[in-house]
Amino acid sequence: MGSLPQTSTSSLSSREGEGAAVPVHVAMIMDGNGRWARSRNLPVAAGHRKGAEAVQDCVRSAIRQGVRYLTLYAFSSENWRRSAEEVGDLTSLLRFYLRHKLNELHEQGVRLRVIGEPERFEGALREELRRAEAKTASNTTLTLTLALSYGGRADIVQAARRLADQVASGTLASSDITEERLDQALQTSDMPDPDLVIRTSGECRLSNFLLWQSAYAELVFMDVLWPDFGEAEFVQALSHFAGRQRRFGGRPA
């Protein structure tokens, strides 16, 4: 399996569990479905289906390891540039799992929520997402956030516009705009920042994912393609995290 990591630190504190630091919030950039399929002479849709199975394994692993928040980069704002066929395959797969796997998530105590621009998807899928969020709203074992039609820069822009509207209406002075106020205007304001960001497929970049929120996250880049990502890989990434010294800009102890 492959691996390894660059770094920083994160604005979120991790917990201590069973002798090792456990990240409270893990964010995943799930990359490599297409390459996995092409390497097997399969259609890209087969890679996405196998990748969806890896999502289920990842959720189970997160619960077993004691992670409280798991955020998945399921569909970026840039993914709309892909072929209509591939976008259709992705949205059909999402609809299938909402219909057929939601009860399993609910029984596991998973709360499902969505960030991004779900309004860009067709009405039936938006309604499926709304119902899934409502059904699982009271669950507390794990908060699973799907980033759909999401872009980190767009998230910051909408936060800035929200604050600008408050300044224009006279309810906020521009001098009162702080990092904390902008943070509260982001779509992720009701969750902690990620402790750990994992990207599969060997690529070493954030690709416009949780840019503000990941300012102090630990970053782990793994060579494994997303459809082959399982509990062993998840535990390895957590092990890398546990070995990091997180200083949040301070000097080493």
Side-chain angles (χ1 to χ4, degrees):
M1 140 146 194
S3 61
L4 291 156
Q6 315 307 301
T7 65
S8 17
T9 21
S10 164
S11 52
L12 173 64
S13 59
S14 54
R15 295 178 296 110
E16 293 293 325
E18 300 179 357
V22 178
V24 176
H25 184 178
V26 175
M28 303 285 312
I29 301 173
M30 307 177 294
D31 195 14
N33 290 348
R35 273 172 280 178
W36 183 92
R38 287 190 293 272
S39 70
R40 291 162 174 78
N41 295 314
L42 296 171
V44 172
H48 291 315
R49 285 194 296 272
K50 184 66 174 175
E53 294 175 15
V55 168
Q56 293 177 263
D57 291 340
C58 188
V59 169
R60 296 187 193 107
S61 299
I63 292 172
R64 280 193 286 265
Q65 297 302 319
V67 173
R68 300 300 303 276
Y69 294 84
L70 179 66
T71 300
L72 304 180
Y73 204 10
F75 192 98
S76 76
S77 53
E78 290 78 17
N79 285 161
W80 291 108
R81 301 172 188 166
R82 297 186 179 184
S83 70
E85 180 182 9
E86 186 173 355
V87 170
D89 288 339
L90 285 166
T91 54
S92 294
L93 188 59
L94 176 58
R95 188 182 298 107
F96 174 86
Y97 273 87
L98 286 172
R99 291 176 180 172
H100 298 279
K101 302 298 181 181
L102 181 62
N103 285 338
E104 180 182 337
L105 290 174
H106 189 43
E107 290 166 4
Q108 291 173 309
V110 175
R111 176 194 175 203
L112 184 70
R113 65 187 302 273
V114 176
I115 59 173
E117 299 176 302
E119 64 274 9
R120 292 190 65 179
F121 294 97
E122 49 90 16
L125 179 55
R126 293 199 306 271
E127 182 58 23
E128 297 264 11
L129 290 167
R130 188 199 64 77
R131 284 200 297 264
E133 286 185 295
K135 179 172 183 174
T136 62
S138 298
N139 293 339
T140 58
T141 300
L142 174 74
T143 295
L144 173 63
T145 301
L146 300 181
L148 294 172
S149 189
Y150 176 84
R153 289 180 173 180
D155 194 10
I156 295 169
V157 167
Q158 68 80 28
R161 285 174 176 162
R162 185 176 300 179
L163 296 177
D165 287 344
Q166 294 177 31
V167 171
S169 67
T171 59
L172 178 70
S174 60
S175 58
D176 290 332
I177 296 176
T178 61
E179 290 185 15
E180 291 74 18
R181 282 190 182 274
L182 195 147
D183 189 75
Q184 287 302 305
L186 295 168
Q187 295 186 37
T188 53
S189 61
D190 61 344
M191 69 174 77
D193 287 345
D195 285 295
L196 171 64
V197 177
I198 303 168
R199 180 170 186 150
T200 59
S201 87
E203 302 293 347
C204 299
R205 55 180 177 272
L206 289 177
S207 294
N208 201 21
F209 181 51
L210 298 179
L211 298 179
W212 175 280
Q213 299 87 336
S214 298
Y216 284 101
E218 295 294 334
L219 308 180
V220 172
F221 301 112
M222 309 183 83
D223 291 337
V224 63
L225 299 174
W226 175 250
D228 292 326
F229 187 92
E231 183 158 22
E233 289 75 20
F234 193 83
V235 170
Q236 185 186 23
L238 265 58
S239 178
H240 284 309
F241 173 84
R244 303 282 178 83
Q245 183 178 18
R246 309 185 73 207
R247 299 191 295 273
F248 304 93
R251 295 185 181 277

